[in-house]
Amino acid sequence: MFRAIADVLRTVGSAIASVVTLPFRLLARLFGGASGGGGRRTRRA
């Protein structure tokens, strides 16, 4: 009984965590790509 409740809480928690962290991952990709692109431009020049 308690194991089933624990499994449900884990599933719900992981789903909430993935939804919450998704926007931050997208922002990190945007800023990471911008800084990486700027670094590449200065190296080429």
Short mmCIF file of all heavy atoms in Angstrom, two decimals:
data_model
loop_
_atom_site.label_atom_id
_atom_site.label_comp_id
_atom_site.label_asym_id
_atom_site.label_seq_id
_atom_site.Cartn_x
_atom_site.Cartn_y
_atom_site.Cartn_z
N MET A 1 0.83 -1.21 0.00
CA MET A 1 0.00 0.00 0.00
C MET A 1 0.87 1.26 0.00
O MET A 1 0.71 2.14 -0.83
CB MET A 1 -0.89 -0.02 1.25
CG MET A 1 -1.79 1.19 1.36
SD MET A 1 -3.07 1.12 0.10
CE MET A 1 -3.94 2.61 0.48
N PHE A 2 1.80 1.32 0.95
CA PHE A 2 2.66 2.49 1.04
C PHE A 2 3.59 2.59 -0.17
O PHE A 2 3.94 3.67 -0.62
CB PHE A 2 3.49 2.46 2.33
CG PHE A 2 2.64 2.67 3.55
CD1 PHE A 2 2.40 1.64 4.44
CD2 PHE A 2 2.04 3.91 3.79
CE1 PHE A 2 1.60 1.82 5.55
CE2 PHE A 2 1.26 4.11 4.92
CZ PHE A 2 1.03 3.07 5.80
N ARG A 3 4.00 1.45 -0.70
CA ARG A 3 4.87 1.46 -1.88
C ARG A 3 4.14 2.04 -3.07
O ARG A 3 4.72 2.78 -3.86
CB ARG A 3 5.34 0.04 -2.22
CG ARG A 3 6.41 -0.45 -1.28
CD ARG A 3 6.98 -1.78 -1.75
NE ARG A 3 8.01 -2.28 -0.84
CZ ARG A 3 8.66 -3.41 -1.02
NH1 ARG A 3 8.37 -4.17 -2.05
NH2 ARG A 3 9.59 -3.78 -0.17
N ALA A 4 2.88 1.72 -3.22
CA ALA A 4 2.10 2.26 -4.33
C ALA A 4 1.97 3.77 -4.21
O ALA A 4 2.13 4.50 -5.19
CB ALA A 4 0.72 1.61 -4.36
N ILE A 5 1.72 4.25 -3.01
CA ILE A 5 1.61 5.70 -2.79
C ILE A 5 2.95 6.37 -3.07
O ILE A 5 3.02 7.43 -3.70
CB ILE A 5 1.15 5.98 -1.34
CG1 ILE A 5 -0.28 5.45 -1.14
CG2 ILE A 5 1.22 7.47 -1.05
CD1 ILE A 5 -0.76 5.52 0.28
N ALA A 6 4.03 5.74 -2.63
CA ALA A 6 5.37 6.30 -2.86
C ALA A 6 5.67 6.36 -4.35
O ALA A 6 6.24 7.34 -4.85
CB ALA A 6 6.41 5.47 -2.14
N ASP A 7 5.28 5.33 -5.09
CA ASP A 7 5.52 5.31 -6.54
C ASP A 7 4.74 6.43 -7.23
O ASP A 7 5.25 7.09 -8.14
CB ASP A 7 5.11 3.96 -7.13
CG ASP A 7 6.09 2.86 -6.73
OD1 ASP A 7 7.24 3.20 -6.37
OD2 ASP A 7 5.70 1.68 -6.78
N VAL A 8 3.50 6.64 -6.80
CA VAL A 8 2.69 7.70 -7.40
C VAL A 8 3.31 9.06 -7.11
O VAL A 8 3.41 9.92 -7.99
CB VAL A 8 1.24 7.64 -6.86
CG1 VAL A 8 0.46 8.87 -7.28
CG2 VAL A 8 0.57 6.37 -7.36
N LEU A 9 3.74 9.27 -5.87
CA LEU A 9 4.37 10.54 -5.51
C LEU A 9 5.66 10.77 -6.30
O LEU A 9 5.94 11.88 -6.75
CB LEU A 9 4.66 10.57 -4.01
CG LEU A 9 3.43 10.65 -3.12
CD1 LEU A 9 3.83 10.62 -1.65
CD2 LEU A 9 2.63 11.92 -3.41
N ARG A 10 6.44 9.72 -6.51
CA ARG A 10 7.66 9.85 -7.30
C ARG A 10 7.34 10.23 -8.73
O ARG A 10 8.00 11.08 -9.33
CB ARG A 10 8.44 8.52 -7.29
CG ARG A 10 9.16 8.27 -6.00
CD ARG A 10 9.92 6.95 -6.08
NE ARG A 10 10.24 6.47 -4.75
CZ ARG A 10 10.49 5.20 -4.46
NH1 ARG A 10 10.42 4.30 -5.40
NH2 ARG A 10 10.79 4.86 -3.23
N THR A 11 6.33 9.58 -9.31
CA THR A 11 5.97 9.88 -10.69
C THR A 11 5.49 11.32 -10.83
O THR A 11 5.91 12.04 -11.73
CB THR A 11 4.85 8.92 -11.15
OG1 THR A 11 5.29 7.57 -10.95
CG2 THR A 11 4.53 9.14 -12.61
N VAL A 12 4.64 11.74 -9.93
CA VAL A 12 4.13 13.11 -9.97
C VAL A 12 5.26 14.11 -9.74
O VAL A 12 5.37 15.12 -10.43
CB VAL A 12 3.01 13.30 -8.92
CG1 VAL A 12 2.62 14.76 -8.82
CG2 VAL A 12 1.81 12.44 -9.26
N GLY A 13 6.14 13.82 -8.81
CA GLY A 13 7.26 14.70 -8.54
C GLY A 13 8.20 14.84 -9.71
O GLY A 13 8.65 15.94 -10.05
N SER A 14 8.49 13.74 -10.38
CA SER A 14 9.38 13.80 -11.54
C SER A 14 8.73 14.56 -12.67
O SER A 14 9.40 15.31 -13.40
CB SER A 14 9.76 12.39 -11.99
OG SER A 14 8.61 11.68 -12.40
N ALA A 15 7.43 14.40 -12.86
CA ALA A 15 6.73 15.14 -13.91
C ALA A 15 6.75 16.64 -13.63
O ALA A 15 7.03 17.44 -14.52
CB ALA A 15 5.29 14.64 -14.03
N ILE A 16 6.50 17.01 -12.39
CA ILE A 16 6.53 18.43 -12.02
C ILE A 16 7.93 18.99 -12.19
O ILE A 16 8.12 20.10 -12.70
CB ILE A 16 6.03 18.60 -10.57
CG1 ILE A 16 4.53 18.26 -10.49
CG2 ILE A 16 6.29 20.01 -10.08
CD1 ILE A 16 3.98 18.25 -9.09
N ALA A 17 8.93 18.22 -11.79
CA ALA A 17 10.32 18.69 -11.90
C ALA A 17 10.70 18.91 -13.36
O ALA A 17 11.34 19.91 -13.70
CB ALA A 17 11.26 17.67 -11.26
N SER A 18 10.29 18.01 -14.24
CA SER A 18 10.63 18.17 -15.65
C SER A 18 9.94 19.39 -16.25
O SER A 18 10.53 20.13 -17.03
CB SER A 18 10.24 16.92 -16.43
OG SER A 18 8.85 16.71 -16.36
N VAL A 19 8.69 19.65 -15.86
CA VAL A 19 7.97 20.80 -16.37
C VAL A 19 8.58 22.10 -15.84
O VAL A 19 8.71 23.09 -16.58
CB VAL A 19 6.48 20.72 -15.99
CG1 VAL A 19 5.76 22.01 -16.31
CG2 VAL A 19 5.83 19.55 -16.73
N VAL A 20 9.00 22.10 -14.59
CA VAL A 20 9.56 23.31 -13.99
C VAL A 20 10.94 23.62 -14.58
O VAL A 20 11.27 24.77 -14.84
CB VAL A 20 9.65 23.15 -12.46
CG1 VAL A 20 10.47 24.27 -11.85
CG2 VAL A 20 8.24 23.14 -11.87
N THR A 21 11.75 22.60 -14.81
CA THR A 21 13.11 22.83 -15.29
C THR A 21 13.17 23.08 -16.79
O THR A 21 14.17 23.58 -17.30
CB THR A 21 14.01 21.63 -14.96
OG1 THR A 21 13.43 20.44 -15.51
CG2 THR A 21 14.16 21.48 -13.46
N LEU A 22 12.11 22.76 -17.52
CA LEU A 22 12.14 22.92 -18.98
C LEU A 22 12.41 24.36 -19.42
O LEU A 22 13.29 24.57 -20.26
CB LEU A 22 10.81 22.42 -19.57
CG LEU A 22 10.71 22.46 -21.09
CD1 LEU A 22 11.78 21.57 -21.72
CD2 LEU A 22 9.34 22.00 -21.56
N PRO A 23 11.72 25.37 -18.90
CA PRO A 23 12.03 26.75 -19.33
C PRO A 23 13.46 27.16 -19.03
O PRO A 23 14.09 27.85 -19.83
CB PRO A 23 11.05 27.61 -18.52
CG PRO A 23 9.98 26.68 -18.07
CD PRO A 23 10.62 25.33 -17.95
N PHE A 24 13.99 26.70 -17.90
CA PHE A 24 15.38 27.06 -17.55
C PHE A 24 16.35 26.39 -18.50
O PHE A 24 17.38 26.97 -18.86
CB PHE A 24 15.68 26.66 -16.11
CG PHE A 24 14.86 27.43 -15.11
CD1 PHE A 24 13.78 26.85 -14.48
CD2 PHE A 24 15.17 28.75 -14.83
CE1 PHE A 24 13.02 27.56 -13.57
CE2 PHE A 24 14.42 29.47 -13.91
CZ PHE A 24 13.34 28.87 -13.28
N ARG A 25 16.04 25.18 -18.94
CA ARG A 25 16.91 24.51 -19.91
C ARG A 25 16.90 25.26 -21.23
O ARG A 25 17.94 25.43 -21.86
CB ARG A 25 16.43 23.08 -20.14
CG ARG A 25 16.66 22.16 -18.97
CD ARG A 25 16.15 20.77 -19.28
NE ARG A 25 16.20 19.89 -18.12
CZ ARG A 25 15.73 18.66 -18.12
NH1 ARG A 25 15.14 18.17 -19.19
NH2 ARG A 25 15.82 17.92 -17.04
N LEU A 26 15.73 25.72 -21.65
CA LEU A 26 15.65 26.48 -22.90
C LEU A 26 16.42 27.78 -22.79
O LEU A 26 17.14 28.16 -23.72
CB LEU A 26 14.18 26.76 -23.25
CG LEU A 26 13.34 25.53 -23.58
CD1 LEU A 26 11.88 25.91 -23.78
CD2 LEU A 26 13.88 24.83 -24.80
N LEU A 27 16.29 28.48 -21.68
CA LEU A 27 17.04 29.72 -21.48
C LEU A 27 18.54 29.45 -21.48
O LEU A 27 19.32 30.21 -22.07
CB LEU A 27 16.63 30.38 -20.16
CG LEU A 27 15.24 31.03 -20.16
CD1 LEU A 27 14.91 31.54 -18.75
CD2 LEU A 27 15.19 32.17 -21.16
N ALA A 28 18.95 28.37 -20.86
CA ALA A 28 20.38 28.04 -20.83
C ALA A 28 20.88 27.75 -22.23
O ALA A 28 21.99 28.15 -22.59
CB ALA A 28 20.59 26.82 -19.93
N ARG A 29 20.08 27.10 -23.06
CA ARG A 29 20.50 26.84 -24.44
C ARG A 29 20.61 28.15 -25.22
O ARG A 29 21.56 28.33 -25.99
CB ARG A 29 19.49 25.94 -25.14
CG ARG A 29 19.61 24.49 -24.75
CD ARG A 29 18.70 23.63 -25.59
NE ARG A 29 18.74 22.23 -25.19
CZ ARG A 29 18.04 21.28 -25.77
NH1 ARG A 29 17.24 21.57 -26.77
NH2 ARG A 29 18.14 20.04 -25.37
N LEU A 30 19.65 29.04 -25.02
CA LEU A 30 19.69 30.30 -25.75
C LEU A 30 20.92 31.12 -25.37
O LEU A 30 21.67 31.57 -26.22
CB LEU A 30 18.41 31.11 -25.46
CG LEU A 30 17.14 30.58 -26.11
CD1 LEU A 30 15.95 31.40 -25.64
CD2 LEU A 30 17.25 30.63 -27.62
N PHE A 31 21.14 31.29 -24.07
CA PHE A 31 22.27 32.09 -23.63
C PHE A 31 23.59 31.37 -23.90
O PHE A 31 24.59 31.99 -24.25
CB PHE A 31 22.15 32.42 -22.14
CG PHE A 31 21.08 33.45 -21.87
CD1 PHE A 31 19.92 33.09 -21.21
CD2 PHE A 31 21.24 34.75 -22.29
CE1 PHE A 31 18.92 34.03 -20.96
CE2 PHE A 31 20.26 35.69 -22.05
CZ PHE A 31 19.10 35.33 -21.39
N GLY A 32 23.60 30.07 -23.78
CA GLY A 32 24.82 29.31 -24.06
C GLY A 32 25.19 29.39 -25.53
O GLY A 32 26.34 29.57 -25.89
N GLY A 33 24.18 29.31 -26.41
CA GLY A 33 24.46 29.41 -27.84
C GLY A 33 24.91 30.80 -28.22
O GLY A 33 25.80 30.98 -29.05
N ALA A 34 24.33 31.83 -27.58
CA ALA A 34 24.71 33.21 -27.90
C ALA A 34 26.15 33.46 -27.47
O ALA A 34 26.94 34.02 -28.22
CB ALA A 34 23.77 34.18 -27.19
N SER A 35 26.51 33.02 -26.27
CA SER A 35 27.88 33.26 -25.80
C SER A 35 28.86 32.43 -26.61
O SER A 35 29.94 32.89 -26.96
CB SER A 35 28.00 32.90 -24.31
OG SER A 35 27.75 31.53 -24.11
N GLY A 36 28.48 31.19 -26.95
CA GLY A 36 29.37 30.36 -27.75
C GLY A 36 29.55 30.94 -29.15
O GLY A 36 30.66 30.96 -29.69
N GLY A 37 28.48 31.46 -29.74
CA GLY A 37 28.59 32.07 -31.06
C GLY A 37 29.46 33.31 -31.03
O GLY A 37 30.27 33.54 -31.94
N GLY A 38 29.33 34.10 -29.97
CA GLY A 38 30.18 35.29 -29.86
C GLY A 38 31.63 34.92 -29.73
O GLY A 38 32.50 35.54 -30.33
N GLY A 39 31.91 33.85 -28.99
CA GLY A 39 33.29 33.42 -28.84
C GLY A 39 33.86 32.94 -30.16
O GLY A 39 35.00 33.20 -30.49
N ARG A 40 33.06 32.25 -30.93
CA ARG A 40 33.54 31.76 -32.21
C ARG A 40 33.83 32.90 -33.17
O ARG A 40 34.77 32.86 -33.92
CB ARG A 40 32.49 30.83 -32.83
CG ARG A 40 32.33 29.54 -32.05
CD ARG A 40 31.19 28.70 -32.61
NE ARG A 40 30.91 27.55 -31.75
CZ ARG A 40 29.81 26.87 -31.82
NH1 ARG A 40 28.89 27.16 -32.69
NH2 ARG A 40 29.62 25.84 -31.01
N ARG A 41 32.98 33.93 -33.15
CA ARG A 41 33.20 35.05 -34.05
C ARG A 41 34.51 35.77 -33.75
O ARG A 41 35.24 36.11 -34.64
CB ARG A 41 32.04 36.04 -33.93
CG ARG A 41 30.75 35.49 -34.52
CD ARG A 41 29.60 36.46 -34.33
NE ARG A 41 28.32 35.84 -34.68
CZ ARG A 41 27.16 36.31 -34.34
NH1 ARG A 41 27.06 37.40 -33.60
NH2 ARG A 41 26.05 35.70 -34.69
N THR A 42 34.81 35.93 -32.47
CA THR A 42 36.04 36.63 -32.12
C THR A 42 37.25 35.78 -32.47
O THR A 42 38.29 36.30 -32.86
CB THR A 42 36.06 36.97 -30.62
OG1 THR A 42 35.85 35.78 -29.88
CG2 THR A 42 34.96 37.98 -30.27
N ARG A 43 37.11 34.47 -32.38
CA ARG A 43 38.25 33.61 -32.72
C ARG A 43 38.53 33.65 -34.22
O ARG A 43 39.66 33.64 -34.64
CB ARG A 43 37.95 32.17 -32.30
CG ARG A 43 37.98 31.98 -30.80
CD ARG A 43 37.61 30.55 -30.42
NE ARG A 43 37.45 30.42 -28.98
CZ ARG A 43 36.91 29.37 -28.41
NH1 ARG A 43 36.47 28.38 -29.12
NH2 ARG A 43 36.80 29.32 -27.10
N ARG A 44 37.46 33.68 -35.03
CA ARG A 44 37.66 33.71 -36.48
C ARG A 44 38.28 35.03 -36.92
O ARG A 44 39.12 35.07 -37.78
CB ARG A 44 36.31 33.55 -37.19
CG ARG A 44 35.78 32.13 -37.06
CD ARG A 44 34.47 31.98 -37.81
NE ARG A 44 33.90 30.66 -37.65
CZ ARG A 44 32.72 30.30 -38.08
NH1 ARG A 44 31.95 31.16 -38.70
NH2 ARG A 44 32.29 29.08 -37.89
N ALA A 45 37.87 36.13 -36.29
CA ALA A 45 38.39 37.45 -36.66
C ALA A 45 39.77 37.62 -36.04
O ALA A 45 40.76 37.66 -36.66
CB ALA A 45 37.48 38.55 -36.15
#
